[in-house]
Each structure stands twice: as C-alpha cells, then as structure tokens.
Amino acid sequence: MATTNTTPDLSSHPGAQTERDAGLLVSLPSLPPDSLQATLAHLTEAFPGRPLLVTTPDGAQTLPSGSSLRVVPYTPVNASASPWVLAAADFVNAYELAQKNQAQSVLLLGGETQSLSVDALRSLAMSVEAKTDLTVACYDLGPREGLVNSAILYPVTRALYGVRPRFPLAVDLGLSLRMAEKLATVAGRYTAGNQPDALLWPVAEAALAGFSIQEVEAGARVLPPPAGLDLNGLLGMIAGSLFADVDAKAAFWQRARNLQPRLVQMQTIPPNDAPADVKPMLDTFRLAYTNLHELWSLVLPPASLLGLKRLSQAPPNAFRMPDALWARIVYDFILAYRLRTLNRGHLLGALTPLYLAWVASHLQLVDTGVAPEKHIETLATAFEADKPYLVSRWRWPDRFNP
Amino acid sequence: MGPTGGIGSSLAFSFRRRHFLYGNPHSAASLPLQIRILRRGDQRVNVKKTGSATDPLWYKDAIIYELHVRAFADSNGDGIGDFGGLMSRLDYLQDLGVTCIWLLPFFPSPLRDDGYDIANYVDVNPSYGTLDDFRKFLDAAHLRGMQVMIELVINHTSDQHPWFKAARLAPPGSPEREMYVWSDTDKLYDGVRIIFTDTEKSNWTWDDQAKAFYWHRFFSHQPDLNFDNPRVMQEVLTAMRFWLDMGVDALRLDAIPYLIERDGTNCENVPETHVKIKEIRAVIDGEYGNRTILAEANMWPADVRPYFGDGDECHMAFHFPLMPRIYMALRQEDRLPITDIMAQTPEIPANCQWGLFLRNHDELTLEMVTDDERDYMYLAYSADPRMRINVGIRRRLAPLVDNNRRRIELLNSLLLSFPGTPIMYYGDEIGMGDNIYLGDRNGVRTPMQWNSDRNAGFSRCDPARLYFPVVMDPIYGYQVVNVEAQLSDQSSLLHWTRNMIALRKLFQVFGRGTLTFLNPDNRKILAYLRKLEREDGSNEIVLCVANLSRFAQPCSLDLKEYEGMAPVEMLGYVPFPKIEAAPYAVTLSPYSFLWLELQAAPTVDASLELSPEAAVLATVDAAAHAEATPLLDLATTIWATLLTGATLASIETALPAYLLRQRWFGAKSRVVQTIRILDWAELPGAGTPPAALFYLSISYTDGETHTYQLPLALSTGPDADAIQAAAPNSILLKLPTAEGPALLYDAVNRKDLRESLLSLIEAESSLPMRDPVTVATEAAAPASLSAQPGEAVPPAAAEKLEPKPAGTISGRKSSAFAGVRGTGALVSRTGSAEQSNTSILYGGKLIMKLFRRLQPGENPDTEIGRFLTDVAHYPHIAPFLGELDMIGPDGQPTTIAMLQGLVANEGDGWAWFLEQLAQFYTSVASVAGPSDTGCAPSFLNDASIPSDATAYAAASIEAAALLGRRTGEMHLALATETTDPAFAAEHFSGDDLDIDARRIDVQITSTLEALKRGLAQLKDLTADAAALLLSRRIELYARAHAITGTASGAAESGMRTRIHGDYHLGQVLRTPDQDYVILDFEGEPARTLEERRRKQSPLKDVAGMLRSFSYAAYSGLDAFAKTRPAESRSLEPWAKLWQNTVSTAFLRAWSETVSAKRGLIPSAPRAQALLNAYLLEKALYELLYELNNRPDWVRIPLAGILALEK
Amino acid sequence: MWHSMNHLMTALQVDSTGQPVQYSNYGQPVVVDQSWWQQITSALTQSTQRVLENLAHFLPGVVALIIALALFTGIGALAAFILRKVLTAIKFDDRVGNGKSSSVIPNLQDWAPSHSPTALVARTAFWGFVLLGCVIGISAFDSAYTGSSQVALFLLPYLTHSVGALLLFFAGNLIARFLARSVLIGAVNAQLQYARFLSLGVKWLVLVLTAAMVLDHLQIGGLVVELAFGILFGGIVLTLSLAVGLGSREIVSRSLERNVERAPEAVAPTPAAEAGESLRHF
C-alpha cells in the first residue's frame, strides 16, 4: 500500500490539480521534530506530487526529498495548553490560516499525527474535497479505549443531535471554509474570554447549522494522551463542556429527530485474553454508593436510585448496569447541570463513580464475548429511546418524576 | 446543615439559572451578523448604535414583562419602589424567562396620571432613583440578556412641564406658546369624543394665565403637545436620542393616534400623524440598530394597521380588541369572539408584530367592542360597580377569572400561543389580586408581593408609608400569594408560568409563524395551527387546541393536510396518535389546552442487530416503529398486504423480543441474528384477515438456523381487549388501524383457529401456502420495498427475492379417529402446561399437539404413535388419531401437528410421585435418619430393599415397579418383528457404539463449557460442586469411552430399537385404575430429527426414567424444605434412600419384563456399563438445560453426575 | 423588715460616733462659713468643665472618625467605580466565569451565584475601603480620646467586632459546607474508605475553627478560647495520628497502598504503558 507511485489521474490534469490544491490546507499541531518529519513524509506519500499547503507552528522545516508540500510555519496567536484535544484556539488558528492562504477547506489534525496512516489522510482529504462541511475521523480502538466517548459523548451526541459520528471529539477533522468560519466564530468567544482551552463540539455545531457531516475511517491511531488531570478532573471537564453545550443548544436538539445513517463501522481491535480487572472500579462505586447517596438523591429520581441500590448489592460477576439506567443517569445529570441542582463541580465529581460502574459493567459484558461495538450501539439506542424523558423534564422540570 | 438544608439551597440554585456565557440560543445564531457589521464599521461615516439585542427582529421572539418601578421593589425603605429594588429582582425576572422589561413612566412627574404626566423627559423621578441608577439597571438587564423598553409619552406633557409653564406666559403665536394647542373657543374640533368620561367634561380647559383654552385628550392636567410645530418634534427626538444613546432598546409610543388634531375629523388617526411617526422611525433606523417602537393605539385592527406603515412606522402595536374578546369567549364558552376579531385582523408587514396582553396597568378597556358586548362584559366581569372605570373594568387577571387556576392557565396559554409577542403584567405570574377601593386604576398598581414578611417584602418601611397599601384580603393577600411561597411550591402558578415561557421560547413559530384557525363543529373548542417555514427549508408546525368550556369537550379536527404527521404534545413531549385522513379526535378536560408539535413521521433505523439485552429496548422500538407505519384499513387488509413494507419490518423487528418471552422458544441462550417470514398458510374462514400459520426462519449468531411455526391472527375492538386481558404475553405487536389499535397475536388463543385445525384433519383436506416474495412480486412489491428507507430493509430482504414454489399443508387421520372423535361439537381450549410445543384440547376427548420448532421430516411422535397403535397394538399409550403435515415442494413431509385421543388420567407421573414424596417426607421428618440408604440401581447386585423404605415408601416402590413393567412392555412392543425398516430391531455394531460415545463426548464438552461460563451465576454450594465436576473432565471422557472399550463389546450390547427417546416421569400419565399411559415419543426436542429417529438401546429410556426419579426425590425435598425449612436439613439421606429404592424397583421390574425377548438386553455387566454411560449423558443434558433455563435447579443433575458410580 | 433595718442603721450611726457627724472629722480644711450655693455652683462648674474638657478631647476624635470614614467611603466608591470599569473593559467576568481554574479553585460563581464577579470584586474593594476608614477613624479617635471613659472605648470597637464576627460566622459556615462536599466527592473518587469521616472531620474542623475565630474576634473568653481550641485541635490531630499509628494503621495503609497501585490506571496512561491490562477513558 505504502508505495509512492503517482496516480496517473492526478498528474495528467495539472491545471485542475493546482486549483484544488490551493483549496486544501493541512493544519498540524505542534509536534516533536521526528514526529513532524514522519508526518510530513506521510503527507508526501498520501498526496504525491501535489503542492499541498501544510501549516505548522514548529518553525521552518526541511522537507523529505521529492516532496511537493509547501510548509508554512506560523506563530499561533492563541495557543492551547491541552494538545491532546482540539480546543478553541486551534479552530481560531485554523480559520485564520485558511483565510490568509485562501484555502477552501482545512484538514485539522491533532497530536500524534505521525500515527495517522496514509490511507486515513487520503480519505479525510477526499471527503473534505467532496464539499462535505464537517469530516470526522472514526478510529479503530481496542475494547478498553475511548470509554468516556463510548459511555457518554457518543450516545448523548447521537441521541440529541441525531448525528452519528462515533467520535464527537475526534482529533482529526476536515472542515469546509464555512464550517471553519462557524467554528472560529464560536471559538472566538472563548479565546476572547481568555479560555483558549475550551472544548468545542464541532459535530453539534454542524448539526445546528444544518451542515453536512461525513465520517471517514481513520484506522488505528495513537491518540494523544490527556495531559495532567486525573480521571475525575478530565471527566468533569469534558462532560461539563458537553453538558454546557447541550444547555446552550436546547432549542435545536429538542426538535432534532431524524437520525443520520451511519456509513462507517468502527473496527474493534480484539482484546487480549486477560479479563479486565474491574474490582477497583466496583469498589469505587460501592464506596460512592454508601457515601454519595445523598448527593445522588438530589439528582436522580427514585427509580434510578433503586437501580443503583440493586447494582450496589449485585455480586461482582453479575454486575451489569442496564443500558436504560445509564442513559437515564446521564440525562438526569445533564438536567441537574442545567438546573444547577448542586455545585457543578460537585455534580460532575459525583458522576465519576457512576461512570466507573458503567465501565466495569461494560468490560464484564465484553468479557462474556459480546462485541463491544454492539453494546455501544445498543446503549446508543437506549439513549435515543429515552430522549423523550430528557426533553419532557427539560421542558417541565418538575421534581415529581419516576 | 442537614440534608434538608442542602435541598433548600439547591432549589435556590436551581432557580437562579443564568445565561452567563452563552446567552440565548438565538443570539448565538445571529452573532456572525454583528461581527460583519463591526468589521465594516471603519468604512462607515456613521456607526449605527446597536442595541443589546443581536437580532434585528428580536421583538418577535421576546417575552415582555410590564412593570412599574414604583410598584416592584423598594431598596431604600421610603415606601416607593426604585431602580435599586428593581435591580435586586432582575434575577427573578431572568429566571422567569422574561427577555424584555417594559418600564412604565419613571420620569419626574406630579404623578397625577401614574407618571404619564411627564414634567421632564430626560431625567428620572427622584423617588425612583437617579439617572445613574437607571444606567446601572440598564447595564444589569443587558448583562442578563434582557432588553429594556421605556415609555415615550409624546402626545402630552404634564401641566408642570417647563414648556407648559413657559407657554402659559408666552404671548400667543410665540414658539414657546405654540408648543401646545391653544384656542380661544372650546368649540373647535367639536364632537371629538372624550376618553376619560368619568373625570373630564370637555377636551378643552380654560387657562387663566394664558387667557385661552388648551387642548387635552386625557386629563385636564395633561395638555397635548402641538405637533404642527416643528420644534415639538425636535424636542421629542432629542429626548428620544437621550434614551436610545444610553442603550434603551425599545420605546412605547403612548396615545399615538391623538398626536395631531384636524378640524372636521375625530382627531384620531389623522394622516399627518403617520408622517410624524415615519419621521421618528427614520431617525431610529438611521442612527440606531436593533431598536423597536411599540405603538399604543387603542383602535380597531384595521385602524391600527396604518401604524405599521409599510414596515416603516412602528415595529409593534398592541392588539387591543383581542383582549376583551378572549375574556368574552371564555365566559360565553364560545370561540366566536376570538375567531371573529382575528378574522378582522389584517395582514401586517413581515417585520412587524402584534403585541398581545391579557391585562395591563390600565383598565380592561371596552372601547373596542360593540355596545351589547360592553354590557355583556360589564355584567359578566364587574359584579361590583366599583370595578368599572371609564369604559372598562379595572381588575387584575386572577380576580377577573374568579381566581380559577385552570382559567388563568388557559388564558396564558392563549397569550403565549397567539401570533404576536406576549406582554405580561407584573404580579399576574403569581396570580396577584387587586384592591378596588383604591381610586382611578390604582387597584391594579399595588406593590409586588414578594414574600409574607412586612409589606409583602416590597419595602422595609412603615406600612402606612407605602405609596399604596399591599393587597391584604384573605384570598389574594400577600400572606397567601407571594413569590417566595410559589418558588418553593413546585406546583405553583409561578413555576407553571416559568415553564410555559421557557417552552414558548424553544419554538420560534409562536413569535413568527402564521395562524390558521381550524373550525371544529364544537364551538367551545378553539383550535388553530401555527406554522413557520424557515429559510433553510425546515418548518415548525404547532397545533393548539383549547377548551373554553368548564366541562370536558370532545372535538374532531380536520387535519387532512397533515396526514401522516405525528403530533407530539409539547409540555411533556408525549407522542400522540398519528394524523390520518379521518378527522382527528381529541377530548379536552375543562379549560384545558393542548399544544401539539406536528412532526414528520420519524424514520427508524432498523439495521441494528438485537441482542437479548436489547430485547426490552426492542419492544419499545417496535412499539415506536408500529406507530410509524401507515394506518391499516382492516376491512381490506389481507396478510399479503400486511406483509409488505413497514409492517413486515416492524413484525420482524418485534419478533426477537417476542420469542424470548415464549416458553416454547427453545433457543433462549442463543443470540438471534435475523428472523424472517418464510411463508404462511391462511386457514379458511377464521377471521379477517383469516388466522394463518406462519413459518419463521430464525438464524442465530452462531450460524444455526431454525424454523418455527407461529399461528397469528389480527383482532381489534372487544376481541383485542379480551386477548389483552387473557393472554397479554401472546401479543406480538400493536398496529394502528382505522378502527383503533389492532393486535397481532398468537392465534392458538382463537377458538376458530383451533377448530379449523381439527377440521383439516377430519376432512383430510389441504391448504396452499404463500410466501412474501411471491406475494410481493405479484403486488409489484419492489416499489413498496424501495419506498422504505434503505436502512430499514433487513439484510434478509435480498435473499427473499428468489422466488420459490410454495408447498401445501395437508391433514391425515388414523383409523381410530372416528371412534374417538364421536359426533357433536367439541369445545376447544389451549393446554395450560405450555411446553416446547403447544397443546390444544378438544372437548375432553382429543388433544392436538401443535409443534413449534419444526424439523424437516416426519415427527417421531406421530411415527411411533402410528406404529404402536396400528402395528404393535400396545395399549398403554394415547391413541394416535391423525396429523397435519406440511408437504414441501420436494414432497418431503414435515409434521406440524399431531392429534391424539385424550386419556383419562390423574395427572402425570411426575405430579403423582411428588405427591407421594410429600407424604413420604412428612412421615419421615420426625424420624431419625435411615440406617441404610440403599444402593444405586444396578444390574449387578441384587440388594434387598431396606426396611426403612418399605415402611415409609411402599406405595412409591410398588408404583415404580409397575412403571418398570409397562416400560418394559413398551420396549418389547417397539421391538416387534416388522418389515418396516424404520422400526425393525437391529444388533449393535461397533460404529453404533462409537456414535453413542461421540455423542456423549459432545454432550460432555458442551455442558462443561456452559458450566464454566455459567459458574458465576451459581450459588456457593452449587458452584463448589460445579467446580468439582469441572475438575473431573478427563474422568468423564473416560467413562463415555468405556462402552467402546472391548472388541466384542458391540456384539454383547444387545439390540437397537426405536425407543421413547425422552423418557421421564412427565411423559407418563397415571390413569384412574392405578396404571400408566406413556406419552410423547418425540425424543429430545433439542436434537435433530435424524438423531431422534435413530434406533438406540432401550437402556437409554431406562436411564432417563432413573434420572427422573432422582429429580423427583430432590425437587420433592426442595418443596418440602420450603414449607418446613427447619426439618428438611436432615432429610437428605431419606431422599437418597427413596431415590435408590424406587429406582431399584423400577429397574428390577423392567429387566424382568424385557428378558422375555432374548438378546434385547445384554448381559448384566455390559448392561450396567451402557446404563452408566446413558445416565451420564442424560444428566449432562439436564445440566445444560438447567444452566440455560433454571439455574436454581442445577444442583440436582450436578449431584446426579457426581453420585454416579465410578 | 424594712422598718427593723432602719432601726438597726440608726442605732449603728449613733453607736459608732456617739455624736452628730462632722465633716471636719475627715481632715480636709473646709471653709465652713462658705455658702452652700457657692459650693453647688463650683461643683457644677467643675463638672461642666470636666465634661467640656472631655468633650474637647472627644470631639476631634469623633470628627476624625467621621472624616476618615467619609473620606474612605468616598475613596472606596471611587476605587470600586474604577475597578468596575477596568474589569468590565478587560472582560473579567468571562475570564473568571469559565476559566481553567474552575476545577482547582472553585468557581467564583459558585460562591455567590447571584452576583457577577466584577460586582463582587468592586463591592469587596468598596467595603474594604469603608472598613479601612473605620479602622483608621477609630484609631484616630482612640489616640485623640484617651479619656477614662472605658465604656465608650470598649463599645465602639466591639460593635465592629461583632459585625466581623457575624461575617466570619457566615463565611465559615459556607466554607465548611462547601469543603465537606468537595472532600467527600474527592475522597470517594480517590477511593478512600473513610471518605465520610474525612468529610465530616473537615466540616467540623472548619466549624470549630470558625467558632474559635468568632469567639476570639468577639474577645469573649479571651485566652480560654484559644486554649480550648488548641486543646481540641491538638486532640483531634493527636487522635488521628494515634489512629493512624495504632488502630487503623492497617486500614489506612491498605487504602493508601490501593491508591498507589491504582494511580497509573485511574489516570489515563501514556501510550507506552498501554500495552496490556490498562484502560483508556479518553
């Protein structure tokens, strides 16, 4: 696959090609020198002979021999301190660069870019050039990776906005110019408020604007590891951002209904034999059940509390959190976040043990041979089925509910 | 500091939601626009000053809250509300959902007309604060995303205004004098009506200082400004710019029709007025952005229309005549006043908007009604003459409707859903009352009621110092009606109003959509559609239905235009039945209203595979799906049409979950991948559409495919209700039809199906079969299939397109049929003991076994039944009477039902022995353990039966011996000499033994695997035993191979004959004469037909029965333990004793009986080896079954295996 | 009763001297022939003089106090105004509102959700100046008025103290509740078995501290409060250390160990560590 043969189709129409090439801009994050070199090599391989615009904040680069890339170094105006995920500053930078270079579309790549395969680069570019407004990468992950995404981000985004991308927070995105402008506008509000690290939800923004969204297979990829914070802090940050976004887009998602078909199937990298050690997670959950019960009871309705009680008494090997229960828990936390039932920091902290319980349940289920992706899809269906609950409570936030 | 404290504080937090960063959703959407404006700004000469709103049409989506600074909150304790107080309550307004605050005049004024008599246009009345306070308030409101509207009273000033003071003194004709309208006579403009009829006698008042009359349309202390003087306009514009520069977003132009006077007219709405308004608007458009003017023109709608101009005069105008008519409609319980006035309401330019209100600071004005209507309104709403003032009624909302919460809610729902911007009057959100003993219209201008503290929390001052007393009566008094109390009451009017406002704000259609009235026959129902088509092609349609009556009302709405759409109730997001061509019927409770959002029918993605965990969800899905399919017309529905398109898809989606609920479905541990309908046969004359036998192909994720038989019928009305009540578990799907929901359910619950099955056998007739593909192709199905969204078609659809010839179903009866059937009608019912097949009983004579899982080929039960009845004449079975076969296109028969004679019995052997056991345990409960528990049944030893056993279990032993004899006789009968190759007895060969051994091998492997997987679910003790068993894996394999051990083994293994195959106590019936009848020669249902029809050693049956005795002993013990737990612990040895002795008795009697035929049974050691192997196999089979179905019973076969002799 | 008492006293008077009481007995040279009226006048003038003197001492103090207070209130208002303008200009609210500090330092919003941070800061500045004015005024008053009227001297600061004490009390309560919840959630997520005790402990520690501070501030009980607090606090610490050292050493060490073991797993691991068992939440 990885040979550098030039596609005759591309080289035979140089005119059309340059016109197109002026359109696409690849925006790279700050990378260590060797990763950057590897990435440039990949890009050269993916787009042989095309004078592609590549922007990097890392200064002037020597290109691999025979490369036709045009590397444009720049100094970012806003720098994000969280290189593991695309943040507001990245979108602002990307749009500025696209404008400056008169690009028609942007390929916004996240950290550890060198691990992105040549095929993935090509298919991302192809989708972007097919006038898709937002192209989202779909990665192949192991069954024990990307769990927050599987547990919360994906089902919630899918159920609320009716859009299917499996990774709402994918680090590799293709943006049309108008999508980039829209995201930059939204991001501008954060960067102006000196929050260059704020998360954006491109998928939700695109759905809100009625833009086309496409998902492309990106294969396996090393996802940049989150920096610094512990699980609790990260979950609080990401879920908090998602919940706030849900709050801000209420008028839209309460009317979004039709689900877009999913074209890409996520491939799960088969797990290794050793069953997951879920005991610590269960311990956390049990401990939290005895200690955080009164906080939860401010947030969750009695039926969910009963479900948790049963869970807390379940033997470890029969520990299964029903999908419907998890969906309802997440929805009730979104509602509590909106209503400020309790301090938002505390609220998200109280979600962590529940999330761990879900993870434990999910891993145990996977260990019995259920395909993880299948369970996630079922889970997403459960979220969809329970969406009316969220909408009705959102509209009528009565405490007297099931 | 306890949990209650926490809840309290959390509530407070919850109500304090704020759009700190994100603002409201609409402003986010319109942000780029603002940026563009700013970017172009540097090229402009004149920069427009934009208001706080980002959308120029913001007023269309606004919720306006009208309040008087004086009446809202007092911060300095002087008894008069002020801006400081107002600012402290902004959070409250924000949480209420208000987006625009309309302040009544707060300018310096002698306050003789509630501030509308202004003495200085560009300052703040010192009682309310300072200009700076106003600025602070403005900023605070803008920070919260709220706009501010103030009054621009340009028709008149106070007589204390410096202009008027100067005008009085200035000589006639001077510019100062000409600021006002002067005349030497009071006859000028004669005939112009007087507005404040109660206080004013003329529109002219004599001024002594000026020695002239001055013109005033309102109070005599409010001289009208003279707009014919250009200086007046200049001054007005200066005042207006003063406020707009400060950031005020909207202006309400007071009394605008009266600006200009012309002789010979009624001095209202004269054309020059519009010139003046256009002038004002031009200034606003030229210098400011996103500002609004609202006209107060108390006129008929057609007269108000000119104030919108061509979108170049006022942005908004009040719709005055609507207000009294809403009240009139409510009182008359008739929608006509409302629809009538709306019909008179002209179209307005696209950028204009009506302002709607229920109540305001003035009286409920009755100027814009006919005389009759006015009289009616007076009689209806002002019982006390004190409530009337001028031409109106001075009351608040709640007292007007007798403080009826439902009426208040109904009126508010109209306010919030009618085309226009709702304007709420302060205090009405909590249902405040009024004080009719205060003069003028001050009864509705009392202080806002915040809490039950002094002065209702409005002010800390001495109550006597308040500008007006707070309302204190027992119904509306501040102790009862106040914000604090309603905030803490989740069911209060305040919460209701807040939720409704929030809901309205979610839907732009309310502010911007069109209005169409539906005219249902019932005039007590007001129904209308609001519709908004957006530029991006999406649309919002909302249907509002309101019951104006105090009683429940039915109505049916003509919604043909929206056929196929799904209404969703908006308050609770509740899906309503879909709209069809027929009138849409709704029933409304008293004064209730419905807001329904009409949504396009949802498309459901059916491509998801369903796993058992998802089964529950699948039912939900299927239900939703069912609602999505178009309505069926039952009269014309046949299966062929039903089984195309969406209904087929929903049936196939609902099936997995349905099957899992059915006892007869045997593959519960497998994961269903797809289910599709192979074909079906319609039964003659059973219902419309006739009940039919369906054949389903079920494929599992492990690659296996099974065929199941499922009779289905469709019912509506009372039939459906009966099914719903009697057999809810048999319902597969609810389908919406024109006649209400139809149930698709298992048709064995129908009498006519059962009868037509019997008549098929009786008449030996046959039925044609149909399949979806042929039907679909006949009906040009490709179109209907492709009409479905691509993903909704299950993958199996592709396969279905291969046409294949259909088979037939035919009945056959045996010679014994007529004798047993007799004549006369037979009452049919389904058997209560649902097993893997379903039995139908006919009048206590016949029993039909309807097979569920079908296996190609003849069913062994029918085959053996026929052989034993016709050939061997074995008496101890149920007589075989007939069968139903499905003959495939290849001529291969598959038995789908078997008919037998019903045998008089006292229950099956299982029940009988359990009864015996219950007695046995009761009698031995108090006895010490048996001295000898006997030995396991064996061919090898001839142990005597212990005396303990004979003492307590004599009846059981005797019965077991008889059963042994009968069993032996059955085996002899099966070994009857015959030429039929299917039945002729054969000798064992080495291969046969190998097959047996391999079969046992497989059984060991699969059972142990399942055991390993299921280990986690087992209870502690059982899990220990299971672990022990798992550890003996190798030993078990060795035992299986013991039967193939010797070379001569095959020869010494006796004969192979057809056998019962699944022999246990449940398969024998105890007859009244203490004998037995043997049933069910079907074999183990889990095995293939070929396997079941194989000839095998009769010892296999013996092993089955011996295991059954073991089951009986222990489940009897369990049952006993449940009633008397204390005594049961020591009974384990007795159970063992019972099992051993009874088994031994059975085995002994059996072997004596079969020894009649030489060679049938091998020598004792060989027989024992075989028996052990079969026992092992049987117990493993049981173990697997229990693991999959009844984990609590696992310990019985487990104990059995562990107890087997090594 | 009253009667008999009187009798008794009369009797005593007579008994102790045996003759009518004379002023000369007290050793002071007294102009006996000075008139009565003069005596009264002089007494009055003297006392008036004394009071006036006191007043003369007192007044500058009061004036100083009032001036200081007024001045600093003015300065405070000015400062608050400037602060507000500056903060609004630099969009302080937006920055604080959702800054990255939110997970570490609790949001300002959470503390006083009904006020924007700008208003909060401006108000704090304003009241700070007022307080400063108060303090300066009082100290000026103090130095100006060194008279002997201890009551006035005591009462004035006492009033300010009680206001401070009230503030302290409320702030302490708020902090105690907030910290208790934070600690509870944090401890649970860190899998500390004794999360609830920790949370309760923190809450009561803060409450006890608050109470001690309030009492100390009010200057009630003096040294006793400090002593008592010291003893209580020391006791708590000692008890805890004893508990860790002896009884619950096992528990504590186990939970600590577990925490240490889990650390690499709870935190999303680096790609290198991702080989086998680990979980990635992101």
Side-chain angles (χ1 to χ4, degrees), chain B residues 175 178-179 226-238 276 279:
Chain B
E178 289 304 307
M179 290 292 282
N226 176 15
F227 271 84
D228 288 331
N229 179 358
R231 200 187 136 194
V232 169
M233 183 51 101
Q234 275 171 24
E235 294 288 352
V236 163
L237 289 179
T238 310
K276 297 293 165 195
E279 229 172 285

Side-chain angles (χ1 to χ4, degrees), chain B residues 65-75 79-94 96 98 101-103 128 137 146 396 424-430 432 445-451 455-459 467 470 483:
Chain B
Y65 187 85
E66 176 189 5
L67 66 90
H68 201 318
V69 179
R70 181 174 69 169
F72 209 58
D74 174 22
S75 69
I80 302 173
D82 45 39
F83 279 108
L86 175 54
M87 272 176 68
S88 69
R89 300 296 183 177
L90 279 179
D91 283 335
Y92 165 78
L93 293 179
Q94 188 188 13
L96 183 60
V98 169
I101 301 169
W102 162 18
L103 300 178
Y128 306 152
F137 153 76
M146 289 192 271
R396 265 189 180 270
M424 312 196 78
Y425 187 48
Y426 83 91
D428 280 350
E429 74 272 23
I430 53 171
M432 248 172 76
R445 299 167 181 177
T446 56
M448 178 72 179
Q449 289 161 202
W450 293 107
N451 54 38
N455 300 332
F458 164 75
S459 171
Y467 72 97
V470 290
V483 170

Side-chain angles (χ1 to χ4, degrees), chain B residues 143 223 250 272 404 559 571 650 664 784 892 980 1169:
Chain B
L143 191 74
E272 286 86 343
N404 182 316
L559 294 173
L571 276 63
S650 49
W664 45 259
S784 75
Q892 166 89 20
D980 184 350

Side-chain angles (χ1 to χ4, degrees), chain A residues 84 112 144-149 192-195 197 222-226 228-232 234-235 238 272 274-277 280-281 283-284 287-288 290-295 298 340 342-344 346-347 349-350 352-353 355-356 359 363, chain C residues 90-91 93-100 102-104 106-107 109-111 113 177-197 258 262 265-271 274-282:
Chain A
W84 63 281
E112 305 285 341
R144 290 172 201 168
E145 292 178 298
L147 291 168
V148 169
N149 183 55
N194 198 20
Q195 300 168 40
D197 297 341
V222 177
L223 286 172
L229 298 170
D230 60 349
L231 169 66
N232 198 15
L234 276 173
L235 187 71
I238 293 198
N272 42 18
D277 176 22
M281 294 187 252
D283 287 346
T284 307
L287 182 67
T290 50
N291 287 302
L292 298 185
H293 190 264
E294 62 192 70
L295 287 186
L298 293 176
R340 290 183 183 273
L342 67 161
N343 176 295
R344 287 182 170 178
H346 290 171
L347 180 80
T352 313
Y355 162 74
L356 288 177
V359 172
L363 293 182
Chain C
I90 62 166
K91 296 202 174 95
D93 288 3
D94 292 357
R95 278 159 214 261
V96 177
N98 223 334
K100 56 189 158 188
S102 57
S103 57
V104 188
N107 232 325
Q109 288 253 303
D110 296 328
W111 291 91
R177 278 190 49 176
F178 186 87
L179 279 184
R181 265 191 189 171
S182 295
V183 166
L184 180 67
I185 291 172
V188 164
N189 282 325
Q191 275 215 41
L192 302 181
Q193 293 296 330
Y194 42 86
R196 185 174 288 274
F197 292 106
R258 206 177 309 142
R262 206 170 308 108
E265 187 198 55
V267 179
T270 54
E274 198 189 322
E277 245 304 282
S278 59
L279 292 177
R280 273 197 66 150
H281 295 284
F282 297 97

